[in-house]
Amino acid sequence: MTERTETMYDVVIVGGGAAGLSAAQMLGRTRRSVAVVDSGEPRNAPAEEVHGFLSRDGISPAELLAVGRAEAERYGAAIVPGEVVAAAGDVHRGFEVTLDGGAVLRGRRLLITTGLTDELPDIPGLRERWGKDVLHCPFCHGWEVRDQVIGVLGTGPWSVHQSLLFRQWSNNITLFLNNTVTPGDGDLEQMAARGIKVVEGAVETLRVEGGFLRGVVLAGGPEVAVDAVVAGSRVHARLGAFTGLGLRATPHPMGIGDYLETDAEGATAVPGVWAAGNVTDLRAQVLASAASAAWTAVVINNHLMAEELERDLLAYRTSAALTGA
């Protein structure tokens, strides 16, 4: 049964991560009515800690979101559990989002902060350790594996760059080509200069023992002991619910996945719909996602203000014409 709310929020935000909550806080401070739909599935949930977030370094993802929800609610935002399965409407009539439980929320504007999903290589043991000792970002997790034995799983052209980058954190780096990466002569020279080992052959599995990653097992070959593995994922914007609005993901020029295109202020191709955070910026870390969403919230507020000003001017001029004022 569909439960359609009579409330028309100023803004409905789909996505309750750092970006969505940051926007909700900012919009709440501008005295806007806001609903945040939170599916409860943040991308960084497997990670133990958030890093590179000034004043919150080392906080767990769950605690960061709990703090963010409390701050957004303090300014009047409604946090609505659920997953959006469909969206419809336009900037003139307003937008409606339908939740998996059948509820329908309405908003004058729509902000998409649904983030990304990671498509991981199909290697046993890898997903089990994802966000723990299987990593992808040196700036997020490099410090935690400093001076350890690090293997870089070949997944594409960027794997060579990853091995060179992680060399800043450890002098014991091995690039597993995994029958996927073919370094050029220049790549091989650079890695040799930095003391990076290169291992040929396909990776069959990661050996996990006692709750820790122990080694990389090659197909038909030996096991190489490692403390951590770097694995680049392909990332995909979470946009399935918004196809009814005409929104589609765009392949990223770096060849690492897809994203939702916006202008510099977060506006999508659909008037009245904005996006912020990882769904539109694949490289943004948690702090950058929150910051971009805060600015997009300012832009949305200003668009609403302009609409209200136009409405009130029309009413004022009509009244003045009737009274002769």
Side-chain angles (χ1 to χ4, degrees), residues 30-235:
T30 65
R31 309 192 73 177
R32 296 294 180 186
S33 59
V34 180
V36 181
V37 183
D38 183 6
S39 68
E41 298 178 344
R43 181 189 178 201
N44 64 351
E48 294 181 358
E49 297 179 337
V50 173
H51 296 288
F53 199 129
L54 189 64
S55 83
R56 299 288 179 179
D57 188 70
I59 193 172
S60 74
E63 185 180 355
L64 178 65
L65 294 183
V67 171
R69 291 188 199 104
E71 291 181 355
E73 288 176 324
R74 190 164 72 233
Y75 293 106
I79 310 297
V80 182
E83 182 176 355
V84 171
V85 296
D90 57 49
V91 71
H92 305 295
R93 297 178 291 123
F95 298 93
E96 291 187 344
V97 296
T98 303
L99 278 59
D100 51 357
V104 176
L105 299 178
R106 303 164 65 229
R108 295 167 61 191
R109 299 292 188 272
L110 183 63
L111 174 59
I112 300 171
T113 57
T114 46
L116 304 168
T117 57
D118 290 285
E119 178 187 343
L120 300 177
D122 187 18
I123 294 176
L126 192 147
R127 182 169 290 279
E128 176 187 349
R129 302 305 302 168
W130 181 247
K132 300 177 178 67
D133 38 29
V134 174
L135 319 167
H136 73 289
C137 173
F139 304 103
C140 301
H141 306 292
W143 177 263
E144 282 62 48
V145 295
R146 65 193 183 280
D147 300 324
Q148 296 184 23
V149 181
I150 301 173
V152 178
L153 177 65
T155 57
W158 278 92
S159 299
V160 171
H161 176 71
Q162 282 184 309
S163 68
L164 292 167
L165 194 54
F166 266 90
R167 177 61 178 79
Q168 293 178 226
W169 283 264
S170 171
N171 61 8
N172 196 334
I173 304 291
T174 299
L175 172 61
F176 295 91
L177 298 182
N178 193 33
N179 290 354
T180 302
V181 180
T182 305
D185 291 341
D187 297 325
L188 292 171
E189 183 182 37
Q190 289 178 349
M191 289 189 288
R194 294 290 280 160
I196 296 170
K197 297 179 285 292
V198 177
V199 174
E200 297 185 354
V203 173
E204 184 175 88
T205 186
L206 302 186
R207 186 171 70 85
V208 178
E209 184 180 294
F212 293 95
L213 176 63
R214 300 299 184 184
V216 174
V217 181
L218 299 170
E223 174 181 325
V224 180
V226 296
D227 299 313
V229 163
V230 177
S233 66
R234 287 186 60 80
V235 291

